């Protein structure tokens, strides 16, 4: 499991658990909280009504006095209220009064007059001088039918002579409870959704940062050019540490590899120079002396060219990107690349008509050297009466430059190795091998520009060097 997914799951699990517990606590506390508030209101109401009913109760007219008349009239009153979005049409209070024996002597609903309520907690406890209240279901199996009863004593002096109870169904506050629960659940799910979105964003960001560093490390491991990805915070520090490590390791390996290769390649010209110099120290005919002196000069030039090309190749290999790319006209680029070959040697024939208007973006000097190296290589392998053909055209969303010769061609075994450093094939006519760095340089430049270069057999004999470079994005 990826680390980003692990972080997301762990984060969301914690948030979901916290939200679940929070919503559970809230929803479980809503109903008791609302009912507690209602009970407090009923207690105040019961005590107010008990004081108002005292005179009629003591006078023996509690069921037909002014108090009874006013309480019964309450049921006919149209309240017409709008309480937090819910319409309130009439009062839902039920008021009943019991005497000292618990017998109902007044009932605003008119249904339990004369019944014995002495065992109900609201009456029983109040007659004992305690706080009396109860919540009773009319249907024992249905909690929504519960009715809350709160009682207050009717006193004659300090003596409790009766009980007044105010009852109100809990269903009257059920809409408020349901709406509060819906609101809490809605915001709870919104919280979970927001937490999930934040978690996804954080996991995506972490995965993106780690993925960029992983791809960078994979490219470095594969020996490809890799640019350190943009990162932030600790990831940027980690990236810079990886970059520093890569540079130091590559620098050490690069030096070791090139020292070994250069030592191997310089052995032959150094041996030739040493042998010729030893012979030149002894008496020789003028013709032999001139031949050995020419050999010393040719081998020294070969070593100088090898060092120059090696330095140029090293400079390209260490570049990770084009620092200041410019727009380059393809026909102009090719024409500038073949200028050194117009006089003498194998002629060069251009066909850039299909490349009119095509432009590349990159380093003009390096791209010119790329084409020049391919042309120079083609001339080296061309017969004396041959021609090097160069053409350019649009292909597969990019630019394709083809340099073709009519030489002996590249053996199949050598095709995979022609772009290796110091790998070279014998030239026609017994000419000495090259440094083997020209094609390696061309491959590095093409890769630096996001392109490729390859060699393939040419129909009718010879070799085609094909360079494919991407066009710059438009818009």
């Amino acid at each position: 499991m990826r680390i980003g997914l692990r972080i997301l799951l762990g984060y969301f699990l914690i948030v979901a658990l916290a939200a679940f517990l929070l919503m559970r606590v809230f929803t479980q506390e809503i109903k008791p909280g609302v009912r507690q508030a209602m009970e407090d209101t009923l207690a105040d109401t019961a005590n107010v009504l008990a004081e108002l009913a005292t005179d009629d109760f003591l006078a023996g007219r509690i069921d037909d006095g002014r108090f009874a008349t006013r309480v019964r009239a309450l049921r006919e009153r149209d309240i017409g209220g709008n309480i937090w979005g819910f319409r309130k049409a009439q009062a839902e209070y039920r008021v009943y009064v019991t005497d000292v024996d618990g017998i109902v002597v007044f009932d605003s609903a008119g249904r339990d007059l004369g019944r014995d309520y002495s065992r109900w907690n609201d009456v029983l406890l109040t007659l004992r001088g305690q706080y009396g209240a109860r919540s009773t279901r009319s249907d024992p199996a249905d909690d929504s039918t519960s009715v809350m009863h709160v009682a207050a004593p009717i006193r004659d002096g300090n003596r409790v002579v009766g009980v007044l109870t105010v009852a109100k169904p809990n269903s009257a506050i059920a809409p408020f409870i349901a709406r509060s629960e819906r609101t809490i659940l809605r915001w709870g799910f919104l919280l979970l959704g927001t937490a999930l979105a934040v978690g996804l964003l954080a996991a995506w960001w972490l995965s993106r940062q780690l993925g960029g560093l992983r791809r960078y490390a994979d490219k470095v491991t594969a020996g490809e050019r890799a640019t350190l990805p943009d990162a932030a915070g600790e990831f940027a520090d980690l990236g810079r540490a990886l970059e520093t490590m890569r540079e130091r390791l590559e620098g050490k390996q690069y030096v070791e590899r090139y020292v070994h290769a250069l030592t191997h390649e310089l052995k032959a010209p150094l041996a030739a120079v040493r042998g010729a110099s030893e012979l030149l120290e002894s008496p020789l005919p003028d013709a032999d002396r001139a031949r050995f002196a020419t050999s010393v000069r040719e081998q020294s030039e070969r070593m100088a060219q090898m060092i120059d090309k090696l330095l140029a190749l090293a400079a390209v290999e260490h570049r990770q990107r084009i620092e200041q790319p410019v727009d380059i006209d393809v026909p102009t680029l090719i024409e500038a690349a073949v200028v050194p070959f117009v006089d003498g040697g194998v002629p060069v024939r251009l066909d850039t008509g299909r490349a009119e208007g095509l432009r590349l973006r990159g380093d003009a000097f390096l791209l010119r050297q790329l084409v020049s190296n391919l042309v120079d290589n083609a001339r080296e392998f061309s017969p004396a009466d041959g021609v090097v053909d160069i053409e350019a055209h649009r292909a597969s969303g990019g630019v394709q430059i083809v340099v073709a010769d009519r030489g002996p061609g590249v053996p199949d075994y050598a095709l995979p190795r022609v772009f290796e450093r110091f790998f070279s094939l014998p030239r026609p006519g017994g000419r000495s091998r090259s440094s083997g760095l020209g094609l390696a340089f061309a491959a590095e430049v093409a890769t630096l520009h996001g392109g490729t270069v390859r060699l393939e057999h040419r129909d009718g004999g010879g070799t085609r060097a094909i360079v494919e470079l991407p066009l710059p994005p438009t818009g």
Side-chain angles (χ1 to χ4, degrees):
M1 185 182 295
R2 294 181 178 273
I3 186 172
L5 183 57
R6 291 182 182 179
I7 293 174
L8 172 62
L9 291 178
Y11 165 81
F12 187 68
L13 180 61
I14 294 173
V15 173
L17 182 60
F20 171 76
L21 293 176
L22 187 63
M23 286 191 294
R24 186 175 180 85
V25 169
F26 271 128
T27 54
Q28 287 183 342
E29 288 296 322
I30 287 175
K31 185 179 294 185
V34 174
R35 289 187 176 180
Q36 287 167 10
M38 187 175 76
E39 182 178 350
D40 180 75
T41 302
L42 288 176
D44 290 343
T45 303
N47 280 275
V48 170
L49 293 179
E51 290 295 330
L52 295 175
T54 299
D55 290 342
D56 284 353
F57 182 82
L58 295 177
R61 56 175 183 270
I62 190 60
D63 190 45
D64 55 4
R66 293 186 62 186
F67 175 80
T69 301
R70 295 304 181 188
V71 170
R72 290 190 178 104
L74 178 62
R75 300 181 64 85
E76 305 301 325
R77 180 185 290 269
D78 182 9
I79 297 177
N82 190 320
I83 303 174
W84 294 87
F86 294 98
R87 178 167 175 75
K88 179 73 171 177
Q90 62 183 13
E92 298 178 80
Y93 282 155
R94 177 195 173 199
V95 180
Y96 60 84
V97 178
T98 63
D99 60 17
V100 71
D101 296 320
I103 304 301
V104 178
V105 295
F106 168 75
D107 186 353
S108 63
R111 64 171 182 262
D112 288 339
L113 194 64
R115 294 188 63 178
D116 184 1
Y117 273 21
S118 61
R119 294 186 178 182
W120 290 113
N121 279 342
D122 57 318
V123 177
L124 177 64
L125 295 176
T126 302
L127 289 174
R128 291 178 179 177
Q130 302 174 14
Y131 172 69
R134 65 183 171 93
S135 182
T136 305
R137 298 179 184 180
S138 58
D139 181 357
D142 187 359
D143 181 61
S144 64
T145 63
S146 65
V147 179
M148 187 177 294
H149 302 71
V150 178
I154 298 175
R155 292 188 173 92
D156 182 8
N158 292 327
R159 184 169 59 93
V160 176
V161 295
V163 176
L164 183 143
T165 299
V166 178
K168 185 172 184 177
N170 285 317
S171 59
I173 58 172
F176 298 96
I177 295 174
R179 184 174 63 180
S180 298
E181 290 178 341
R182 288 195 302 269
T183 300
I184 289 176
L185 289 175
R186 181 170 63 251
W187 284 101
F189 286 122
L190 179 62
L191 172 63
L192 285 177
T194 303
L196 179 60
V198 172
L200 286 172
L201 182 63
W204 171 81
W205 183 80
L206 288 172
S207 297
R208 182 172 177 271
Q209 300 290 321
L210 292 174
L213 292 176
R214 179 182 57 79
R215 288 188 293 272
Y216 170 77
D218 289 342
K219 287 184 178 180
V220 170
T221 302
E224 302 176 7
R225 275 189 172 82
T227 302
L228 186 65
D230 294 332
E234 289 80 359
F235 291 104
D237 296 336
L238 177 59
R240 286 190 290 270
L242 288 174
E243 177 77 0
T244 302
M245 181 179 67
R246 179 192 68 82
E247 290 176 352
R248 292 184 179 180
L249 290 176
E250 283 188 351
K252 181 180 179 181
Q253 295 172 355
Y254 188 84
V255 170
E256 291 178 352
R257 184 171 63 249
Y258 265 68
V259 167
H260 292 159
L262 184 60
T263 301
H264 175 75
E265 293 299 321
L266 289 177
K267 283 182 179 179
L270 285 174
V273 169
R274 184 167 55 249
S277 63
E278 290 176 355
L279 292 173
L280 287 172
E281 290 176 353
S282 60
L284 290 173
D286 291 341
D288 291 338
R289 184 179 296 277
R291 181 164 56 86
F292 288 129
T294 300
S295 176
V296 170
R297 185 179 68 256
E298 289 178 349
Q299 295 301 326
S300 62
E301 289 177 354
R302 179 185 174 188
M303 288 187 289
Q305 290 177 359
M306 184 183 302
I307 292 173
D308 290 341
K309 289 184 177 181
L310 187 61
L311 292 174
L313 178 60
V316 174
E317 287 179 332
H318 272 78
R319 293 178 66 173
Q320 298 296 322
R321 66 184 71 85
I322 305 298
E323 299 297 338
Q324 295 180 337
V326 297
D327 289 335
I328 307 163
D329 181 67
V330 174
T332 303
L333 169 69
I334 296 175
E335 291 171 4
V338 301
V339 167
F341 310 106
V342 295
D343 296 328
V346 178
V348 178
R349 183 166 53 199
L350 299 180
D351 179 10
T352 58
R354 290 186 294 168
E356 292 294 334
L358 294 181
R359 302 182 71 81
L360 296 171
R361 187 163 182 80
D363 188 306
F365 173 77
L366 293 180
L367 290 175
R368 187 165 60 248
Q369 286 297 112
L370 182 156
V371 177
S372 294
N373 282 7
L374 295 180
V375 174
D376 184 47
N377 189 73
R379 282 165 54 96
E380 286 288 322
F381 285 92
S382 294
D385 57 349
V387 176
V388 174
D389 293 306
I390 305 177
E391 63 174 284
H393 56 272
R394 182 191 293 270
S396 301
V399 176
Q400 190 175 90
I401 302 173
V402 181
V403 179
D405 63 61
R406 288 296 181 185
V410 180
D412 290 337
Y413 75 87
L415 280 175
R417 300 191 57 195
V418 290
F419 295 104
E420 293 180 8
R421 306 174 191 86
F422 303 115
F423 181 84
S424 63
L425 295 170
R427 268 49 176 170
R431 287 174 288 178
S432 60
R433 295 172 181 259
S434 70
S435 63
L437 297 174
L439 291 182
F441 179 87
E444 289 293 336
V445 172
T447 303
L448 184 62
H449 286 80
T452 60
V453 59
R454 67 181 187 274
L455 298 186
E456 62 180 33
H457 299 299
R458 186 182 186 186
D459 294 338
T463 303
R464 299 172 75 233
I466 302 174
V467 182
E468 293 182 346
L469 299 170
L471 288 170
T474 59

